[in-house]
């Protein structure tokens, strides 16, 4: 397979000579009560690794400020009488940007005379009501990890139980579940698929619209999640956007695989502390193609652009107001008819039997209000408007002539008005309650048709314009018997107005720190999820006309049971083990006995069938092991292993492996950072080296029906034995080398990210060559070097 090369040569900024000096920066922020969001005055803030004592205390409004802190890696420790200590370790401080933090501290149930400081676990979760299968991640990890491409989706592939052994898209396969079971939440509102070249109701795409330059530290959950999350079976991305600098303007310029980027942030009104942040990105792959460089995307060149922003108004008469938005547009054409069949390269985005023209866009804009009712009670209201549109034109190239013939047309548009309102009440240090309601008002316009040769015309499959509503409500209670024994319980319910489906879902989790550095946790959750909306509106042609045979399809339901053990060691080292069992029932399957199941649907080419009923089942079970060292003394690593089974039963009653049953997964990611200049240097420098290796069970695929394929002169799969074959194990190694230079007022960074360093030929799919009567294996991404340049000032 021809090596695909991606070399982006950035324009270099002139090196600015400055007089010998130390390079410093400001660290500031505020400290709040995690449960009531009240600011905490008098909190001790300390830089424990400083050569001399450096610290301060928070003021009456909970804010703190540390000036003239030397740039590099810094750690912060926060202590306050009556509260559990908090610590943030190995934060990166650069000359180009101030470090602005919001620290949440939890009140102690046991009032201690002496405060014992212990470091926060590297995987501590922001949502303290999440007991099991939850971890936070930092934006820096998506920038630093090899192979992440600045994408939080691909970065999550380094976590236990998450399989991303698919180079075509950034789908998230959690513990053998379909990626359609993952919920994307931004600023406490559920959003459409935030990926370029994806589909509404799906979870993946080759390039993310999410920009890590505007994101804050966020949570990722993989099972038995608490009651504020619903309509998902597999996992949750709970994403937050950060506020811009409210004192001075800062800028960022970046060029890399994801595109040309320009970002800005700064104050709107300094006196009131309001600020803005915005980032725009435009694809560079089209430009590369014009320059004669192969961008590694096969016969199609993707064009895309996206914008993300947040306006923050913390002091208004009606509370803390924020306005946020995310949007992107993209298009790509796979025109295989222009290339002779014997000259087509292996391509995992399409095959040589079709010309495909695809375009889509997605956008969300929202307003949030946080209002404090008393020192112990606050509410939050989020209202948003969203849209997602996908258009596809497919022409077949069957036969020797390879003349395009009309085959399939589709247009799908969904508009959604969403709201989320909750009240959070902290009765005392031991009891915190949250109750909320969510409503989605969805307008749909779905149309697709297929060309029928015998009729010499298109036959409509779906032609639906209408609307529906999804209503949801929940309550959650956190009760701390002691600081070491915490119970989280909750209840969630949802109502789907389209067909009257109603769910009742209990949730519970218990964490017991039975020794100072050891804890046991257990969690249970009942979860229901609607099918993707196009499934409900799929129409069947009958003598009476078009009939929506899937309209009464109920929720798919899943029982999650998780048990975990965690052990913390010195120097940021942590071991974690989780065993889980997930039973899924009421799965969409066909009325007639077949092997079809919606559990096998993915975000890339989801097949929708008619006449579906809730008779299928599924089960996922396994164990996740993880050994992790947070970055200390300039180095870190994460090693995790998963053994699992993912099975399903269709309406024919036979149990089979799902499309996502890889059976095993081993991930290892590690990195080292060196500071390479002395105190008297004109600038300070840092070199980063990061390495990632993945070894996983190969992708599953359905065998080819050779006789039917020969007759159709295109690939026809054996529907009676779906996903019964499995490719050889997937192996990939990625490296990243970064070089960073700190000047007095700005920071520059160059990075080389080489993906699939060993050029391993990992199979992706099998197609049928009707001319030779043989099967042809399409491989995934070969060696793929990426250059990135970044400047902050």
């Amino acid at each position: 397979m021809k090596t695909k090369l991606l070399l982006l040569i950035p324009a270099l900024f002139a090196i600015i000579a400055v007089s010998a000096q130390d390079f410093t920066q400001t660290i500031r922020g505020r400290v709040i009560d995690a449960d009531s969001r009240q600011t905490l005055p008098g909190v001790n803030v300390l830089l424990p690794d400083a050569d001399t004592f450096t610290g301060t205390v928070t003021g009456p409004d909970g804010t703190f400020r540390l000036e003239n802190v030397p740039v590099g890696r810094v750690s912060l420790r926060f202590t306050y009488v009556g509260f559990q200590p908090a610590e943030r370790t190995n934060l990166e401080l650069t000359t180009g940007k101030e470090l602005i933090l919001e620290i949440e501290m939890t009140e102690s149930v046991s009032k201690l005379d002496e405060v014992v400081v212990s470091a926060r676990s590297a995987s501590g979760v922001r949502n303290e009501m999440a007991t099991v299968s939850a971890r936070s991640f930092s934006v820096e990890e998506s920038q630093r990890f090899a192979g992440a491409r600045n994408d939080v989706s691909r970065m999550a592939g380094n976590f236990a139980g998450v399989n991303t052994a698919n180079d075509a898209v950034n789908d998230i396969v959690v513990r053998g579940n379909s990626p359609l079971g993952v919920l994307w939440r931004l600023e406490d509102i559920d959003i459409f698929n935030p990926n370029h070249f994806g589909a509404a109701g799906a979870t993946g795409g080759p390039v993310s619209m999410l920009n890590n330059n505007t994101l804050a530290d966020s949570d990722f959950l993989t099972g038995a999640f608490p009651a504020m999350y619903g309509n998902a079976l597999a996992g949750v991305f709970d994403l937050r956007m950060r506020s811009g600098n409210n004192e001075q303007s800062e800028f960022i310029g970046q060029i890399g695989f994801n595109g040309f980027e320009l970002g800005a942030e700064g104050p709107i009104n300094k006196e009131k502390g309001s600020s803005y942040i915005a980032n725009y990105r435009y694809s560079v792959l089209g430009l590369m193609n014009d320059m004669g460089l192969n961008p590694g995307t096969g016969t199609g060149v993707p064009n895309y652009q996206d914008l993300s922003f947040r306006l923050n108004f913390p002091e208004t008469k009606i509370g803390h107001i924020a306005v946020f938005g995310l949007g992107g547009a993209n298009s790509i054409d796979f025109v295989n008819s222009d290339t002779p069949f014997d000259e087509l390269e292996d391509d995992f985005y399409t095959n040589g039997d079709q010309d495909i023209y695809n375009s889509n866009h997605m956008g969300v804009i929202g307003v949030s209000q946080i209002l404090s009712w008393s020192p112990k009670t606050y509410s939050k209201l989020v209202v948003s408007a969203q849209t997602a549109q996908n258009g596809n034109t497919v022409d077949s190239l069957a036969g020797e002539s390879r003349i395009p013939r009309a085959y399939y047309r589709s247009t799908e548009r969904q508009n959604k008005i969403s709201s989320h309102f909750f009240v959070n009440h902290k009765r005392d240090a031991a009891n915190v309650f949250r109750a909320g309601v969510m409503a989605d008002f969805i307008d749909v316009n779905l149309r697709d048709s297929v060309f029928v040769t015998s009729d010499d015309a298109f036959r409509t499959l779906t032609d639906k314009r209408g609307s529906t509503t999804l209503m949801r409500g929940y309550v959650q209670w956190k009760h701390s018997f002691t600081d070491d024994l915490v119970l989280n319980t909750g209840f969630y319910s949802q109502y789907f107005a389209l067909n009257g489906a109603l769910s009742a879902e209990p949730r519970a989790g218990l964490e017991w720190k039975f020794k100072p550095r050891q804890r046991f946790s257990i969690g249970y959750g009942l979860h229901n999820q609607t099918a993707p909306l196009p499934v409900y509106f799929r129409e069947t042609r009958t003598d009476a006309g078009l009939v929506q045979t899937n309209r009464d399809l109920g929720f798919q339901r899943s029982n999650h049971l998780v048990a975990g053990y965690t052990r913390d060691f010195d120097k940021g080292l942590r071991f974690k083990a989780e065993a889980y069992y997930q039973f899924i029932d009421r799965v969409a399957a066909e009325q007639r006995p077949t092997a079809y199941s919606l559990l096998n649907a993915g975000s890339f080419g989801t097949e929708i069938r008619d006449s579906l009923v809730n008779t299928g089942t599924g089960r996922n079970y396994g164990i996740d092991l993880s050994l992790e060292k947070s970055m200390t003394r300039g180095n870190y690593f994460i090693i995790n292993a998963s053994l699992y089974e993912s099975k399903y039963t269709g309406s024919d009653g036979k149990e089979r492996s799902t499309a996502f049953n890889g059976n095993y997964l081993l991930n290892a990611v590690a990195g080292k950072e060196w500071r390479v200049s002395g105190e008297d240097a004109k600038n300070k420098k840092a070199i980063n080296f990061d390495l990632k290796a993945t070894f996983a069970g190969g992708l599953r695929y359905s065998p080819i029906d050779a006789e039917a394929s020969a007759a159709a002169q295109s690939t026809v799969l054996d529907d009676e034995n779906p996903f019964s074959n499995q490719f050889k194990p997937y192996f990939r190694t990625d490296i990243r080398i970064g070089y960073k230079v700190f000047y007095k007022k700005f920071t520059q960074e160059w990075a080389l990210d080489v993906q699939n360093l060993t050029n391993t030929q990992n199979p992706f799919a099998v197609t049928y060559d009707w001319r030779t009567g043989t099967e042809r294996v399409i491989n995934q991404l070969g060696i793929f070097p990426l250059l990135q340049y970044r400047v902050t000032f």
Side-chain angles (χ1 to χ4, degrees):
M1 179 178 176
K2 182 186 295 184
T3 299
K4 296 172 180 164
L5 180 64
L6 180 60
L7 292 176
L8 302 179
I9 308 298
L12 300 180
F13 275 50
I15 302 299
I16 299 177
V18 295
S19 58
Q21 57 192 294
D22 290 334
F23 296 102
T24 64
Q25 185 56 275
T26 297
I27 304 175
R28 60 187 179 87
R30 67 169 186 159
V31 183
I32 63 173
D33 185 321
D35 297 317
S36 69
R37 296 196 62 84
Q38 293 293 305
T39 56
L40 299 178
V43 175
N44 295 305
V45 184
L46 177 67
L47 284 169
D49 299 328
D51 295 334
T52 59
F53 176 83
T54 303
T56 186
V57 295
T58 59
D61 57 355
T63 62
F64 67 92
R65 188 183 193 95
L66 294 167
E67 296 183 336
N68 300 318
V69 180
V71 299
R73 295 282 173 180
V74 298
S75 296
L76 291 168
R77 183 176 295 163
F78 302 84
T79 60
Y80 190 49
V81 175
F83 280 71
Q84 299 178 31
E87 192 166 88
R88 299 296 182 267
T89 61
N90 284 279
L91 303 169
E92 186 174 38
L93 186 65
T94 70
T95 52
K97 292 180 69 65
E98 290 185 340
L99 183 58
I100 304 173
L101 303 171
E102 182 175 83
I103 305 300
E104 298 181 353
M105 300 186 70
T106 303
E107 188 174 0
S108 295
V109 177
S110 304
K111 305 299 182 182
L112 302 177
D113 295 330
E114 179 182 359
V115 176
V116 179
V117 176
S118 60
R120 189 186 75 151
S121 169
S123 63
V125 65
R126 287 177 57 91
N127 186 344
E128 295 185 347
M129 293 182 176
T131 309
V132 295
S133 302
R135 119 168 234 148
S136 68
F137 60 89
S138 69
V139 172
E140 190 215 9
E141 288 174 320
S142 65
Q143 296 171 340
R144 171 166 37 95
F145 285 178
R149 299 186 193 173
N150 295 322
D151 183 349
V152 294
S153 303
R154 297 184 187 275
M155 180 271 301
N158 296 289
F159 302 152
V162 181
N163 192 339
T164 57
N166 184 338
D167 298 337
V169 291
N170 55 9
D171 276 342
I172 302 298
V173 176
V174 178
R175 294 174 171 174
N177 283 279
S178 163
L180 297 181
V182 175
L183 168 68
W184 290 94
R185 177 168 288 185
L186 179 67
E187 293 287 288
D188 286 316
I189 205 79
D190 297 353
I191 64 172
F192 289 127
N193 176 19
N195 287 283
H196 290 295
F197 311 106
T203 66
V207 182
S208 176
M209 295 180 191
L210 296 167
N211 195 300
N212 57 14
N213 292 316
T214 57
L215 292 177
D217 292 357
S218 304
D219 289 344
F220 180 56
L221 300 90
T222 57
F225 17 92
M228 61 278 297
Y229 307 111
N231 200 32
L233 300 185
V236 176
F237 261 109
D238 190 355
L239 301 167
R240 308 282 177 178
M241 299 182 74
R242 67 183 182 89
S243 300
N245 193 319
N246 60 5
E247 293 186 2
Q248 65 183 34
S249 297
E250 297 175 337
F251 304 92
I252 180 172
Q254 181 171 305
I255 179 174
F257 173 80
N258 287 345
F260 292 104
E261 299 186 34
L262 180 63
E265 60 180 286
I268 298 175
N269 186 317
K270 290 185 179 181
E271 293 182 359
K272 295 185 177 181
S274 58
S275 64
Y276 74 92
I277 183 171
N279 194 285
Y280 174 76
R281 176 169 51 193
Y282 188 84
S283 167
V284 300
L285 300 184
L287 177 61
M288 290 177 51
N289 185 67
D290 294 338
M291 296 170 58
L293 298 175
N294 186 351
T297 57
T299 59
V301 178
N303 295 286
Y304 56 87
Q305 56 185 318
D306 53 62
L307 172 70
S308 55
F309 70 89
R310 188 174 192 268
L311 310 178
N312 188 53
F313 305 92
E315 298 179 14
T316 74
K317 295 180 179 180
I318 55 173
H320 184 158
I321 303 297
V323 181
F324 62 92
L326 168 69
N330 52 79
S331 64
I332 188 169
D333 299 336
F334 297 101
V335 187
N336 293 297
S337 57
D338 291 343
T339 305
F341 186 80
D342 55 1
E343 295 181 12
L344 283 172
E345 295 184 9
D346 293 345
D347 185 351
F348 52 74
Y349 288 105
T350 183
N351 60 64
D353 296 334
Q354 296 175 334
D355 284 347
I356 301 176
Y357 305 87
N358 173 268
S359 65
N360 58 55
H361 68 251
M362 175 269 184
V364 54
I365 185 169
V367 180
S368 67
Q369 177 205 44
I370 299 176
L371 189 60
S372 178
W373 297 94
S374 73
K376 293 187 176 183
T377 305
Y378 75 91
S379 66
K380 183 172 183 178
L381 172 65
V382 190
V383 179
S384 74
Q386 304 182 47
T387 184
Q389 179 171 320
N390 299 271
N392 282 284
T393 296
V394 182
D395 294 335
S396 66
L397 305 175
E400 296 184 3
S401 67
R402 295 183 57 75
I403 297 175
R405 300 175 183 176
Y407 172 62
Y408 180 75
R409 305 287 186 266
S410 72
T411 300
E412 174 184 326
R413 183 171 64 248
Q414 298 184 36
N415 299 318
K416 181 168 66 170
I417 302 295
S418 298
S419 62
H420 182 187
F421 176 76
F422 68 81
V423 176
N424 198 95
H425 176 66
K426 177 182 177 180
R427 193 183 73 178
D428 50 40
N431 295 279
V432 180
F433 300 87
R434 178 176 294 186
V437 293
M438 292 175 277
D440 296 326
F441 303 94
I442 311 167
D443 178 75
V444 297
N445 186 345
L446 308 173
R447 180 177 176 83
D448 69 337
S449 57
V450 63
F451 189 82
V452 179
T453 304
S454 58
D455 297 341
D456 193 29
F458 279 94
R459 174 175 295 175
T460 299
L461 300 176
T462 305
D463 187 4
K464 174 63 181 178
R465 296 181 180 179
S467 60
T468 188
T469 303
L470 179 66
M471 302 293 297
R472 294 171 283 171
Y474 65 88
V475 292
Q476 185 78 33
W477 172 40
K478 184 183 79 169
H479 176 68
S480 301
F481 297 97
T482 67
D483 289 339
D484 297 328
L485 184 62
V486 180
L487 173 68
N488 282 300
T489 58
F491 183 84
Y492 171 93
S493 180
Q494 65 183 26
Y495 172 76
F496 191 39
L498 183 70
N499 56 23
L502 179 67
S503 74
E505 308 173 24
R507 315 281 177 85
L510 179 70
E511 182 179 73
W512 176 33
K513 297 178 183 178
F514 58 94
K515 289 187 177 180
R517 296 189 176 187
Q518 299 183 64
R519 55 190 180 274
F520 173 77
S521 57
I522 188 170
Y524 167 78
L526 181 64
H527 308 272
N528 286 264
Q529 185 180 24
T530 59
L533 274 180
V535 173
Y536 295 100
F537 298 114
R538 175 64 187 269
E539 295 176 320
T540 304
R541 185 173 295 276
T542 67
D543 293 338
L546 295 175
V547 179
Q548 295 175 3
T549 55
N550 294 337
R551 189 178 183 90
D552 293 330
L553 194 65
F555 300 136
Q556 297 185 127
R557 184 175 64 179
S558 174
N559 285 272
H560 288 211
L561 183 62
V562 182
Y565 166 78
T566 303
R567 171 68 188 266
D568 294 317
F569 300 91
D570 290 331
K571 299 179 180 180
L573 188 63
R574 184 181 69 96
F575 170 77
K576 185 175 183 178
E578 278 196 343
Y580 61 89
Y581 183 84
Q582 180 184 7
F583 176 72
I584 311 171
D585 62 351
R586 301 180 182 177
V587 177
E590 291 189 286
Q591 291 182 5
R592 58 190 178 92
T594 69
Y596 176 83
S597 172
L598 199 60
L599 291 182
N600 294 317
S603 67
F604 213 55
T606 301
E607 181 183 11
I608 298 176
R609 297 189 179 182
D610 60 6
S611 305
L612 298 179
V613 291
N614 296 100
T615 58
T617 63
R619 57 193 183 105
N620 301 312
Y621 56 92
I623 184 170
D624 296 331
L625 305 174
S626 179
L627 181 64
E628 178 174 351
K629 178 184 178 297
S630 59
M631 179 173 274
T632 56
R633 300 183 182 275
N635 60 81
Y636 74 94
F637 67 79
I638 302 174
I639 301 173
N640 58 66
S642 299
L643 296 174
Y644 64 97
E645 286 290 336
S646 179
K647 301 287 189 178
Y648 84 98
T649 302
S651 57
D652 62 0
K654 297 180 181 179
E655 187 175 63
R656 300 174 172 87
S657 290
T658 69
F660 312 103
N661 189 18
N663 301 120
Y664 58 89
L665 171 67
L666 178 64
N667 268 320
V669 60
K672 174 67 177 177
E673 180 180 77
W674 295 271
R675 300 285 165 168
V676 294
S677 62
E679 291 297 327
D680 59 346
K682 293 182 179 180
N683 49 56
K684 291 189 175 183
K685 306 177 180 68
I687 296 177
N688 296 81
F689 179 81
D690 298 271
L691 175 69
K692 177 185 177 182
T694 299
F695 182 73
L699 296 176
R700 291 192 173 269
Y701 65 99
S702 302
I704 290 176
D705 187 329
E707 183 177 348
S709 297
Q713 295 188 346
S714 63
T715 303
V716 179
L717 301 179
D718 179 3
D719 283 343
E720 295 184 1
N721 298 286
F723 312 108
S724 56
N725 294 347
Q726 188 174 20
F727 289 121
K728 67 178 183 180
Y730 176 96
F731 177 75
R732 175 172 148 178
T733 301
D734 304 326
I735 65 167
R736 184 181 186 276
I737 301 173
Y739 178 62
K740 190 174 296 185
V741 184
F742 304 94
Y743 298 93
K744 183 179 180 180
K745 296 295 185 181
F746 70 98
T747 300
Q748 295 187 86
E749 180 182 7
W750 295 263
L752 172 64
D753 196 333
V754 183
Q755 301 186 13
N756 196 0
L757 178 67
T758 59
N759 199 29
T760 304
Q761 303 300 296
N762 292 306
F764 175 74
V766 174
T767 62
Y768 183 80
D769 186 342
W770 54 269
R771 299 199 306 174
T772 62
T774 59
E775 296 181 359
R776 182 165 63 105
V777 176
I778 297 176
N779 289 320
Q780 300 195 49
L781 188 72
I783 187 171
F784 200 58
L786 310 170
L787 269 178
Q788 176 178 290
Y789 172 74
R790 174 186 173 102
V791 58
T792 56
F793 56 98

